[in-house]
Amino acid sequence: MPFQLGKDAIRRTIPYLKQGRLILRENVKVMTIHYNDTGDYHKGTRDFVYWNMWQVQYKNPNVQIVYYKNKFPTPFIRCWLDTGEDVLIDVFNKSSIEIMNHLVKTLGLPDVKEETEKQEYLENICKFGSKFQRHCMCEIPGQIPCPQIVPFPKHMTGKYKVENSLWPPKGQERY
């Protein structure tokens, strides 16, 4: 396929296929999508199949995806698990974004990396502020207390250093 011809050539590009959010769990083996070509209640499912199913197939090569068009009056998605159980998802009158979000929540792999990064970010004792365990740097043992509570010694203030010319001359480094 040397040229990307057609009105929807964007769906066949690798960067577009890699943008898919839905990575199904290991126990999902078959996914069937039932919808009709006509009707307002099937519009979200048609859009989901048209725009997002290529991404789902690209991200989940071991899952068999089957489409049933014009067989049932209401749209739904059925996923078969490796235990023989099936998960039935009603997509009646839902948009393609709502369908994708629902599938990510119910059958998608949990994003463990994002959760652990957020937990590590909040548990880091080096950080301080209103969202963290410590509100101020002075609460950490071994640090200088707040100047509001205990004033700084004169030799540590910038005003004293400027008045007494204790800063290093220009062009000379301190350390």
Side-chain angles (χ1 to χ4, degrees), residues 139-151:
E139 295 178 16
I140 298 173
Q143 298 296 324
I144 297 174
C146 279
Q148 293 177 343
I149 299 168
V150 179

Side-chain angles (χ1 to χ4, degrees), residues 64-168:
Q64 179 184 0
I65 299 177
V66 182
Y67 307 102
Y68 291 106
K69 289 171 48 173
N70 302 321
K71 300 273 184 188
F72 293 94
T74 58
F76 63 93
I77 297 173
R78 178 175 277 164
C79 295
W80 298 91
L81 309 178
D82 58 358
T83 59
E85 299 174 5
D86 64 326
V87 178
L88 189 63
I89 300 168
D90 181 26
V91 293
F92 183 79
N93 205 19
K94 288 187 180 179
S95 69
S96 63
I97 296 169
E98 291 173 339
I99 295 170
M100 178 61 85
N101 291 337
H102 187 72
L103 284 171
V104 167
K105 268 193 233 174
T106 56
L107 296 172
L109 280 177
D111 194 5
V112 177
K113 180 182 172 187
E114 185 176 302
E115 291 175 5
T116 56
E117 284 179 1
K118 185 175 181 182
Q119 186 177 10
E120 288 174 1
Y121 178 74
L122 291 175
E123 289 179 359
N124 191 350
I125 62 168
C126 297
K127 298 185 184 262
F128 55 93
S130 60
K131 296 180 184 176
F132 300 103
Q133 189 177 10
R134 295 184 173 96
H135 294 284
C136 183
M137 181 84 168
C138 68
E139 295 178 16
I140 298 173
Q143 298 296 324
I144 297 174
C146 279
Q148 293 177 343
I149 299 168
V150 179
F152 279 151
K154 288 229 181 235
H155 69 278
M156 294 181 77
T157 62
K159 183 177 180 181
Y160 178 81
K161 288 182 180 183
V162 169
E163 287 174 356
N164 296 316
S165 301
L166 298 176
W167 293 105

Side-chain angles (χ1 to χ4, degrees), residues 25-61:
R25 296 181 183 175
E26 295 293 324
N27 60 352
V28 178
K29 298 301 177 192
V30 179
M31 181 179 190
T32 60
I33 302 173
H34 306 266
Y35 68 100
N36 290 338
D37 283 338
T38 58
D40 293 335
Y41 302 121
H42 299 266
K43 182 171 178 14
T45 312
R46 282 194 306 269
D47 290 343
F48 177 75
V49 168
Y50 189 78
W51 289 108
N52 299 106
M53 281 317 297
W54 306 109
Q55 295 172 339
V56 174
Q57 285 181 339
Y58 182 80
K59 291 278 190 169
N60 304 289

